Amino acid sequence: MLCMGQSLQAERSIEREQQQRTVAQALNPHRSTATSTGPSDAAYAITPERRALLNTIRYAEGTWKEGKDLGYRILYGGGQFQDLSRHPDRVVVKRYASAAAGAYQFLPGTWRDVSRNLDLPSFAPEHQDQAALHLVKKRGALQEVDRNGLTKTAMNSLAPEWASFPTHAGHSAYGQPVKTHAELLAFYNDNLNQLRQGA
């Protein structure tokens, strides 16, 4: 039997855990209960800064869709797919030919490598988020964003991964349409403010 002090301590501990869960859900609204989840699902914590970065990548790649999960089902060119159990691996010919898919427009080979490294069991939104953060880290930009936000240095590091991000010179690393530094920074800052205010 717990004494009064222990009981109060236990209640506070439960309250803290509930608050932490609430904050975690707010920062990771795409947690799916329908997909299997492994121990590596949360390899990267989703802080407000990282969520704002992920949303900015989606904005740059044309998959923002007002923040709705629909963006996680977008094929290159704007079409949609339904099965989130795996990458659709479907080539679409528009201005270019590409099999890019999902919120972060993963190419099939990129997705295979990252999902294997992180042991991601599906193409569900939360797994796409984890894979994108892994690519951000591989490009050396995760620590920069964590410390200083979406700087020009971070954008330049991400430009070889996402063609819509500008290099230091303001161009795409691949000669494709690109967002400006100012446009991406404005979106990032606005989104980050909304996340911090719990919007």
Side-chain angles (χ1 to χ4, degrees):
M1 184 178 238
L2 296 173
C3 72
M4 181 80 92
Q6 289 173 317
S7 177
L8 188 59
Q9 214 171 14
E11 284 178 23
R12 286 182 181 156
S13 177
I14 290 168
E15 282 177 15
R16 273 196 303 274
E17 286 175 16
Q18 288 172 337
Q19 287 172 346
Q20 288 170 348
R21 275 197 298 273
T22 301
V23 170
Q25 286 170 349
L27 292 175
N28 194 3
H30 310 292
R31 176 61 61 186
S32 169
T33 54
T35 57
S36 62
T37 55
S40 61
D41 280 358
Y44 297 96
I46 309 288
T47 62
E49 292 76 15
R50 291 177 181 186
R51 173 57 64 196
L53 172 63
L54 291 172
N55 292 344
T56 304
I57 296 170
R58 290 175 60 187
Y59 169 72
E61 290 294 304
T63 62
W64 173 233
K65 306 299 178 188
E66 301 304 317
K68 295 182 173 65
D69 276 4
L70 169 66
Y72 289 85
R73 298 176 181 273
I74 300 295
L75 294 164
Y76 165 74
Q80 295 176 38
F81 63 96
Q82 296 305 312
D83 183 7
L84 286 170
S85 67
R86 58 185 177 78
H87 189 292
D89 200 357
R90 189 185 317 163
V91 175
V92 176
V93 180
K94 292 281 186 180
R95 185 175 173 189
Y96 308 96
S98 178
Y104 310 101
Q105 294 294 282
F106 297 106
L107 293 171
T110 301
W111 178 257
R112 276 192 298 274
D113 290 344
V114 176
S115 62
R116 191 181 306 119
N117 285 339
L118 297 181
D119 193 24
L120 300 176
S122 77
F123 204 53
E126 63 268 23
H127 299 145
Q128 291 186 40
D129 289 348
Q130 288 292 304
L133 287 172
H134 186 71
L135 294 177
V136 171
K137 184 180 180 186
K138 276 183 71 176
R139 292 292 179 180
L142 191 59
Q143 194 173 62
E144 174 69 11
V145 172
D146 285 346
R147 290 180 176 173
N148 305 309
L150 188 58
T151 61
K152 285 186 177 182
T153 297
M155 291 185 216
N156 183 70
S157 297
L158 296 175
E161 196 66 52
W162 286 285
S164 55
F165 267 68
T167 62
H168 277 304
H171 306 298
S172 166
Y174 301 99
Q176 295 183 21
V178 68
K179 300 286 187 189
T180 66
H181 294 115
E183 194 176 359
L184 292 182
L185 183 59
F187 182 93
Y188 173 86
N189 285 334
D190 182 59
N191 199 261
L192 181 58
N193 286 334
Q194 290 180 46
L195 287 165
R196 285 176 172 167
Q197 292 165 15

